[in-house]
């Protein structure tokens, strides 16, 4: 028994060493975000983001190999792994990232053993260690700092916030930016009564800025009487050795787009991620902990928290999974639980004839989206293997369609339907369905945003491939997001062409084109044929996005990318930006 406990302790130590190594490398990459931003090294920004996403799986494989080689682990010894979990829990008592370490342990175990052992007896189905009030061991690295405008004045307090954000690069014109901030505050809080200060008036600001793409964000919240709202100062680099404040965002609605599930992951250096997530949840109460962990690059923790929340919801609901609203996909079978705001997607066994690719290619496209900058226009997804759902919670019509289209990806056993592989995304209103009931003002807004989405994806080196409205969704905030990834390609892989003039008059009436077409050829002037049949939609589209029908526009975007020009894509409306 003593020998077994000693082995369990050694295995637990080895797994924790694997996690600590992972988090150290993760932090090392993250800590370079400030320098990359201040040097305007946008190529390195994108490269480091991709590198950080792949870290976790590498460390898991490395740790499993070490455990198996050191301790000759071949099969599952139930008593040994029960003890190993208990030993691991003891090691986490004073750990600064216990929830992340628990998730790492789960991954090591689940990659080795059968799903029937994925219970709280062997893994952390529930968190064992509380993350409440964990703080950094470094007294200089608290999670947030408070400022008191009643003592020094609001503008002076905000100036202090900016100066203490740690930027080494000088500001282009900080006095101008401070005037812009003051105007934004006056506009937001109209009238003396709205601007009255109370005894408890304070600003609380996360000590490290959030870095993503070409921007940094100083994030905090203010408390004044009973009011308590989040805010963020967006800091940009003019690429001439100076910084400037681009806007002030106040309130959950404006911040939600910045922290959207369709954005790339932030980089923020801190020893206690749970403290950052706790702070963010106060200013973004509609965002789940899963989404917030994912937003700061800890997407595996996001998966763990999502799954716990999902299991909790399943225990406290009784509705059935049904086929998701919208036009059936040619590649994916999509279903949803009406009481839960997500959709579940499974790759079909066979695709429609016009889809000339394999299941492997589809999986690779989804991985591409995971690693790429989504610029707020592609939904993030959670990817799971061996997911079990109660058969009696699946509507008979859905179950039959799953059996007809996805039989190789599922098994039914003991009243459970087990899916080998599925993707989970936020549920949105399909754009084609939204347009069916949209008012004129809604139609104009959403078609304008649809075109903006395509342009912003193009700027990020993503060509959607299939522009049909059914492949886009409208979020709760009314933002258009692309979510069908099976035909996406890099812009740099595409050849944008203008249709050559017909050789003879009868060419235009031929069922076959009179010009050659290679696999990656794209003819933008054809987009209107299938997108703009509705006169109202056509009128709005041509008003704002006529250039999308021009091969020259697309070629210019491609040339910019090839020449290393990274265009600005802002997660907030242009109208909120400060004048310079």
């Amino acid at each position: 028994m003593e020998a077994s406990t000693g082995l369990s302790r050694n295995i637990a130590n080895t797994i924790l060493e694997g996690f600590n190594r992972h988090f150290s490398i993760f932090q090392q990459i993250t800590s370079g975000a400030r320098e990359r931003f201040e040097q305007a090294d946008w190529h390195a920004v994108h490269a480091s983001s991709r590198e950080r996403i792949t870290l976790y799986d590498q460390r898991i494989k490395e740790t499993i190999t070490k455990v198996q080689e050191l301790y000759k682990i071949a099969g599952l010894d139930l008593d040994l792994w029960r003890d190993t979990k208990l030993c691991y829990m003891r090691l986490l008592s004073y750990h600064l990232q216990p929830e992340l370490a628990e998730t790492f342990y789960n991954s090591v175990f689940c990659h080795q053993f059968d799903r029937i052992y994925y219970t709280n007896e062997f893994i952390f189905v529930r968190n064992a260690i509380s993350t409440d009030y964990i703080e950094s061991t470094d007294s200089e690295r608290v999670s947030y700092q408070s400022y008191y405008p009643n003592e020094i004045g609001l503008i002076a307090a905000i100036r202090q916030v900016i100066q203490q954000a740690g930027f080494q690069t000088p500001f282009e014109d900080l006095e101008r930016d401070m005037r812009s901030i003051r105007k934004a505050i006056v506009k937001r809080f109209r009238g003396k009564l709205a601007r009255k200060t109370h005894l408890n008036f304070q600003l609380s600001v996360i000590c490290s800025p959030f870095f993503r793409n070409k921007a940094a964000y100083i994030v905090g919240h203010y408390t004044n009487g009973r009011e308590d709202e989040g805010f963020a100062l967006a800091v940009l680099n003019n690429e001439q050795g100076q910084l400037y404040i681009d806007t002030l965002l106040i309130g959950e609605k404006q911040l939600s787009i910045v922290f959207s599930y369709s954005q790339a992951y932030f980089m923020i250096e801190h020893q206690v991620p749970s403290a950052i997530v706790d702070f963010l949840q106060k200013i973004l109460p509609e965002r789940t902990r899963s989404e917030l962990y994912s937003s700061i690059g800890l997407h595996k923790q996001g998966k763990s928290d999502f799954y716990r929340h999902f299991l909790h919801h399943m225990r406290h609901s009784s509705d059935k999974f049904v086929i998701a609203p919208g036009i059936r996909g040619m590649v994916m079978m999509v279903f949803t639980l009406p009481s839960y705001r997500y959709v579940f997607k499974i790759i079909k066994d066979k695709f429609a004839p016009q889809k000339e690719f394999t299941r492997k290619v589809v999986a690779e496209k989804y991985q591409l989206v995971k690693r790429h900058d989504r610029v707020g226009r592609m939904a993030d997804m959670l990817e799971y293997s061996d997911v079990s759902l109660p058969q009696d919670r699946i509507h008979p019509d859905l179950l039959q369609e799953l059996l007809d289209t996805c039989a190789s990806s599922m098994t039914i056993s003991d009243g459970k339907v087990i899916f080998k592989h599925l993707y989970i995304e936020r549920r949105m209103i399909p754009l084609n369905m939204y347009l069916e009931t949209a008012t004129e003002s809604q139609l104009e807004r959403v078609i304008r945003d649809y075109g903006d989405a395509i342009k912003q994806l193009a700027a990020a080196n993503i060509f959607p491939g299939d522009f049909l409205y059914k492949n886009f969704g409208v979020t709760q905030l009314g933002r258009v997001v692309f979510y069908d990834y099976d035909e996406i390609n890099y812009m740099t892989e595409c050849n944008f062409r203008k249709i050559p003039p017909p050789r003879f008059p009868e060419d235009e009436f031929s069922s076959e084109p009179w010009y050659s077409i290679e696999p990656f050829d794209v003819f933008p002037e054809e987009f209107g044929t299938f997108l703009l049949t509705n006169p109202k939609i056509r009128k709005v589209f041509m008003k704002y996005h006529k250039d999308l029908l021009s091969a020259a526009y697309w070629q210019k975007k491609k040339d910019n990318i090839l020449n290393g020009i990274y265009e600005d894509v802002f997660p907030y409306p242009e109208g909120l930006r400060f004048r310079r």
Side-chain angles (χ1 to χ4, degrees):
M1 181 67 180
E2 191 172 324
S4 175
T5 302
L7 179 57
S8 296
R9 191 181 302 117
N10 290 339
I11 294 172
N13 272 303
T14 300
I15 295 173
L16 187 57
E17 286 170 6
F19 167 73
N20 289 338
R21 171 170 159 74
H22 161 69
F23 192 73
S24 174
I25 298 172
F26 181 93
Q27 287 288 80
Q28 185 180 354
I29 295 172
T30 302
S31 65
R34 183 188 297 273
E35 182 179 355
R36 292 187 289 269
F37 167 72
E38 295 199 42
Q39 292 183 355
D41 189 349
W42 311 133
H43 177 75
V45 165
H46 290 287
S48 61
S49 180
R50 288 192 297 271
E51 180 187 3
R52 200 177 66 161
I53 288 170
T54 62
L55 273 183
Y56 188 88
D57 290 338
Q58 293 172 11
R59 295 290 83 75
I60 290 296
K61 290 176 183 176
E62 182 182 281
T63 304
I64 289 172
T65 299
K66 194 170 183 180
V67 167
Q68 291 177 344
E69 290 179 352
L70 281 177
Y71 309 113
K72 312 303 178 188
I73 302 296
L76 175 62
D77 181 328
L78 299 182
D79 291 334
L80 174 67
W81 282 95
R82 284 191 194 96
D83 288 345
T84 300
K85 182 189 172 185
L86 293 174
C87 291
Y88 196 80
M89 286 168 58
R90 295 188 193 102
L91 294 173
L92 298 183
S93 297
Y94 298 100
H95 204 281
L96 296 180
Q97 308 94 31
E99 78 285 20
L100 307 187
E102 289 175 354
T103 293
F104 192 88
Y105 181 95
N106 289 352
S107 296
V108 170
F109 183 93
C110 294
H111 276 68
Q112 297 181 85
F113 305 118
D114 192 273
R115 59 171 302 280
I116 64 172
Y117 301 105
Y118 299 176
T119 66
N120 208 53
E121 190 175 7
F122 298 102
I123 64 173
F124 296 92
V125 176
R126 298 188 299 274
N127 287 118
I129 307 296
S130 171
T131 58
D132 291 346
Y133 304 111
I134 297 179
E135 280 290 355
S136 169
T137 51
D138 183 352
S139 60
E140 299 297 317
R141 295 297 307 276
V142 294
S143 55
Y144 66 90
Q145 184 73 43
S146 294
Y147 301 82
Y148 303 98
N150 283 339
E151 296 179 3
I152 60 174
L154 177 57
I155 299 304
I158 294 174
R159 185 192 303 274
Q160 202 173 63
V161 167
I162 295 168
Q163 290 171 339
Q164 293 183 1
F167 296 113
Q168 300 302 310
T169 303
F171 277 80
E172 183 181 85
D173 187 344
L174 188 56
E175 294 308 313
R176 176 203 64 202
D177 294 345
M178 296 308 301
R179 290 193 296 271
S180 297
I181 291 170
R182 185 180 184 281
K183 288 178 184 176
I185 292 171
V186 170
K187 184 177 180 180
R188 173 68 170 75
F189 301 95
R190 295 184 181 277
K192 289 185 178 180
L193 187 62
R195 294 197 292 273
K196 180 183 177 182
T197 63
H198 296 264
L199 183 64
N200 65 341
F201 188 27
Q202 60 186 290
L203 309 178
S204 299
V205 180
I206 295 177
C207 290
S208 176
F210 290 66
F211 296 93
R212 183 177 64 204
N213 296 336
K214 298 174 71 174
Y217 297 87
I218 301 171
V219 178
H221 73 79
Y222 74 87
T223 302
N224 187 31
R226 292 187 175 184
E227 289 187 17
D228 196 333
E229 277 192 306
F231 66 85
L233 289 163
V235 184
L236 301 186
N237 190 318
N238 68 7
E239 302 184 25
Q240 297 174 6
Q242 296 170 315
L243 308 180
Y244 61 95
I245 306 294
D246 194 53
T247 191
L248 168 64
L249 305 171
I250 303 175
E252 184 180 3
K253 185 175 181 180
Q254 292 183 355
L255 290 175
S256 286
I257 298 175
V258 175
F259 284 87
S260 168
Y261 51 85
S262 58
Q263 298 285 356
Y265 305 131
F266 282 110
M267 291 200 178
I268 173 171
E269 184 187 7
H270 198 270
Q271 287 184 321
V272 188
S274 60
I276 303 301
V277 169
D278 286 344
F279 189 103
L280 292 176
Q281 199 151 42
K282 291 176 184 175
I283 63 176
L284 295 162
E286 285 295 308
R287 289 278 176 260
T288 64
R289 291 183 69 82
S290 166
E291 290 169 334
L292 294 174
Y293 270 111
S294 293
S295 75
I296 59 174
L298 298 166
H299 51 95
K300 294 295 183 180
Q301 187 60 33
K303 279 182 62 175
S304 290
D305 273 17
F306 173 87
Y307 198 62
R308 290 180 180 122
H309 186 271
F310 174 64
L311 292 177
H312 177 80
H313 182 85
M314 288 292 288
R315 289 190 201 100
H316 295 84
S317 62
S318 59
D319 55 330
K320 295 182 183 295
F321 289 92
V322 296
I323 298 168
I327 298 171
R328 300 283 199 279
M330 297 181 186
V331 172
M332 289 287 196
M333 178 62 202
V334 186
F335 61 95
T336 190
L337 187 66
S339 63
Y340 207 54
R341 56 185 181 182
Y342 294 85
V343 293
F344 301 75
K345 304 172 75 169
I346 303 173
I347 302 175
K348 291 183 176 181
D349 294 339
K350 295 181 180 179
F351 307 150
Q354 58 266 47
K355 300 288 186 177
E356 298 177 350
F357 41 72
T358 64
R359 290 168 57 89
K360 182 182 177 184
V361 169
V362 175
E364 288 171 352
K365 300 286 188 183
Y366 273 73
Q367 281 302 307
L368 183 157
V369 172
K370 193 76 178 173
R371 296 189 302 267
H372 201 77
D373 176 12
R374 295 185 295 280
V375 293
R377 296 299 188 174
M378 292 192 291
D380 193 12
M381 89 293 294
L382 300 171
E383 187 176 358
Y384 291 90
S385 300
D386 297 322
V387 175
S388 172
L389 297 178
Q391 185 176 346
D392 62 4
R393 293 291 299 273
I394 299 177
H395 192 282
D397 292 346
L398 169 60
L399 183 59
Q400 187 57 55
E401 186 147 347
L402 286 168
L403 290 169
D404 291 343
T405 60
C406 308
S408 70
S409 298
M410 55 186 282
T411 56
I412 300 176
S413 176
D414 298 326
K416 302 283 187 183
V417 180
I418 301 158
F419 298 96
K420 292 180 183 177
H421 204 87
L422 58 75
Y423 302 92
I424 301 175
E425 296 173 4
R426 267 296 191 108
R427 188 169 62 215
M428 293 174 260
I429 303 172
L431 179 56
N432 61 303
M433 294 179 65
Y434 184 93
L435 290 171
E436 289 173 3
T437 59
T439 63
E440 285 194 17
S441 61
Q442 288 173 331
L443 185 143
E444 176 157 3
R445 180 190 58 76
V446 82
I447 289 298
R448 183 177 185 178
D449 200 49
Y450 163 75
D452 287 341
I454 293 171
K455 288 177 175 178
Q456 289 171 5
L457 287 170
N461 197 20
I462 290 292
F463 181 71
D466 192 340
F467 289 62
L468 292 177
Y469 304 129
K470 70 182 181 69
N471 297 323
F472 292 77
V474 182
T475 70
Q476 288 181 316
L477 294 172
R479 191 169 171 85
V480 176
V481 171
F482 182 58
Y483 56 51
D484 193 330
Y485 307 138
D486 54 79
E487 290 194 29
I488 65 170
N489 286 296
Y490 290 119
M491 287 279 292
T492 49
E493 295 175 341
C494 299
N495 181 28
F496 298 101
R497 294 176 56 191
K498 182 176 175 58
I499 296 176
R503 300 162 301 175
F504 312 104
E506 52 269 25
D507 280 347
E508 294 188 83
F509 302 99
S510 172
S511 59
E512 296 295 327
W514 59 88
Y515 46 90
S516 62
I517 302 176
E518 297 299 322
F520 287 96
D521 283 353
V522 178
F523 299 91
E525 60 199 281
E526 291 183 331
F527 296 165
T529 305
F530 53 87
L531 290 177
L532 307 179
T533 55
N534 182 313
K536 290 183 179 179
I537 292 176
R538 181 178 182 83
K539 181 180 178 181
V540 175
F541 187 92
M542 297 302 284
K543 177 181 177 181
Y544 295 109
H545 301 299
K546 183 179 179 180
D547 47 1
L548 286 175
L549 305 181
S550 162
Y553 171 86
W554 289 93
Q555 189 59 45
K556 175 65 175 173
K557 289 280 187 182
K558 177 181 174 179
D559 290 343
N560 285 346
I561 296 164
L562 291 172
N563 291 326
I565 299 172
Y566 294 88
E567 296 184 27
D568 293 317
V569 177
F570 303 104
Y572 39 83
E574 185 73 23
L576 291 179
R577 299 187 64 202
F578 294 158
R579 290 184 179 180
R580 291 169 63 204

